[in-house]
Every structure is written in structure tokens, then in C-alpha cells.
Amino acid sequence: MRVYAVGDIHGRDDLLANMLQRVEADAHARPPARNIVIFLGDYVDRGLQSKQVLDRLTSHPLAGFEFVYLKGNHEAAMLEFMRDANFGRTWKYYGGLETLHSYGITELTLSDNPDDFERAREHLLKVLPVAHRRFLETLRLSVEIGDYFFVHAGVAPGISLARQVEDDLLWIRDKFLQSDMWFGKVVVHGHTPKERPVFRPNRIGIDTGAYMTNVLSCLALEGQEMRIIQTADAVMAAFSGTAAE
């Protein structure tokens, strides 16, 4: 088994396309294996190509690969806006406006009028492809493979992985990031952008702020080997051993 975990995309379909090419090339350059690609959430918002990202992810982007799609807090926000137009007052200002623009929805570009939020919501529900809605509504919160627990934001320290709640899995930061506690498995996460991937004994963070840095990161796990694959030039690094060492 070979696992590829891809960090936060945030509306950068250009980087996603590049990453998929790199993942495919990496897999084909190695012995045959069961290849699983795990996306850690935050496909939408901030970047200008959210619709294009969902178009690509819902079209079986790599033949012969298995895919696991996890939910990020920005997908949760988009779904909340689809239920309640008033939530747009929050969502608009942390990336929702860019997502709406990618679907051709401009009612909120220059307006915070309550009626315009409802019009934007109705417009989104009208133009959102069925495949996109099904994708958003069926995202998983986490997945465990071997010694690793994959999730968008992290986990609450002191609580078993089986008892974690959605709010923490999608939103947690400081309590998780500052904890030296062993969580039962190595937690692979995104959500908190850093200049480069973060390796700790109990966690691996792979959000490198793609929408603003042009660097989308992927963690490749194969046996005892770890590799980081990125969309920038000359950025493939190899690591030996396990994250728990």
C-alpha cells in the first residue's frame, strides 16, 4: 500500500492539476502497489477556482487510484451557507466570495444587503452541479490507515480517536498543535498553514498555504519511508523512519 495525503487546496485548480501529475509520476516510478490518495479538506474558498477544483475531484482524476475525500471547515461553511443565507455574512469574508465568483455568482460582490445574501444562496443552489453537492454532503471526517489518523484540523488531546467530535476535527488549532501527547496514532492534518511541512512525534502538518504561496504539499507514505511532494520546483524531499521516532 502507498498513501498520498494532499493538503489544503483552497480553490487552486492549477496546483491540484500539477499535484495529480506529480503523484501519478511518483507512483509509476515505483513498484506496483495499491495507491490511495487522501485529500485533507478545504477544497474551496480563498483561491479563484473552487468550482474547477470540485469539477476535477468529482471526475475520477487518476485512473487506477483510490480516493478518500475528507471534510474541511471551509466545506462546512459552504454547506452552512446553503442552509442559511445569513451565514454568508461570515463566510463571505473568509473565502466564500471567491467561491461564489467561481460559480458566476456576483450578488455579494459589492453588497451586504440581507436580500442579496438570500439571492446569492438561491443562485448557488440553482447552479451548483448535483455532483458537487453530493461530494460536499458525503465528505468523511477522518480515516485511519495503519499507524496514521488522517483529518483536516487535528484532534482534541486526551480524548480517544473514536470519540472525537466534528467541531474539533474541522477547527481545532492551539490545543492540538501545542500538545506533546501521544494520540494513539500519528495525526496527519492540514488547516494550519506553515512555510514547510511540520514533522512532530505525534503529528504531521502539510498545509503550506497553497492559495498564497503556490506550494501545494503532499505526504507520501510507503512502508517506513516518508516523502514530501510539492508543486514548486526542486521540492521533493525524502525522510527515513517513522513520524513517531
Side-chain angles (χ1 to χ4, degrees), residues 4-198:
Y4 298 94
V6 180
D8 304 34
I9 299 166
H10 275 307
R12 289 297 303 270
D13 183 60
D14 54 337
L15 299 182
L16 172 59
N18 183 282
M19 178 57 74
L20 289 170
Q21 291 175 353
R22 290 173 182 265
V23 165
E24 185 174 39
D26 182 85
H28 288 171
R30 298 175 181 277
R34 178 186 175 192
N35 293 303
I36 302 175
V37 183
I38 302 172
F39 291 94
L40 298 181
D42 280 6
Y43 314 104
V44 302
D45 294 354
R46 293 184 172 152
L48 299 177
Q49 302 165 326
S50 291
K51 178 183 182 298
Q52 293 88 333
V53 167
L54 296 191
D55 281 338
R56 189 177 301 277
L57 293 180
T58 55
S59 64
H60 309 290
L62 287 180
F65 285 70
E66 298 175 42
F67 292 92
V68 177
Y69 300 105
L70 301 185
K71 186 178 185 179
N73 58 301
H74 284 263
E75 286 73 56
M78 184 174 178
L79 287 166
E80 182 62 24
F81 175 70
M82 290 162 59
R83 288 187 288 266
D84 179 7
N86 289 327
F87 186 73
R89 295 178 177 276
T90 298
W91 183 48
K92 172 181 176 178
Y93 290 104
Y94 67 87
L97 187 62
E98 291 86 345
T99 295
L100 292 172
H101 281 183
S102 75
Y103 286 95
I105 299 168
T106 59
E107 284 87 346
L108 299 179
T109 303
L110 299 174
S111 173
D112 279 335
N113 186 300
D115 292 339
D116 288 330
F117 280 101
E118 183 56 42
R119 276 191 282 270
R121 173 184 171 275
E122 292 174 357
H123 191 171
L124 177 60
L125 293 175
K126 180 179 179 180
V127 302
L128 187 71
V130 171
H132 290 199
R133 183 161 188 168
R134 184 182 303 115
F135 177 87
L136 293 168
E137 292 177 342
T138 57
L139 294 169
R140 298 174 62 172
L141 291 175
S142 64
V143 64
E144 297 181 38
I145 298 179
D147 297 328
Y148 299 90
F149 183 85
F150 300 86
V151 68
H152 177 63
V155 299
I159 300 175
S160 70
L161 296 179
R163 296 181 58 205
Q164 297 288 326
V165 299
E166 180 170 344
D167 191 61
D168 286 328
L169 296 174
L170 300 187
W171 291 93
I172 198 168
R173 277 207 169 98
D174 290 347
K175 287 193 299 182
F176 165 67
L177 299 174
Q178 296 170 8
S179 176
D180 294 325
M181 181 177 294
W182 176 245
F183 303 121
K185 293 181 182 288
V186 178
V187 177
V188 180
H189 66 95
H191 187 57
T192 301
K194 297 292 181 181
E195 285 187 28
R196 52 184 57 87
V198 175

Side-chain angles (χ1 to χ4, degrees), residues 207-220:
D207 180 5
T208 45
Y211 75 96
M212 55 184 172
T213 65
N214 297 321
V215 180
L216 178 62
S217 295
C218 169
L219 172 68

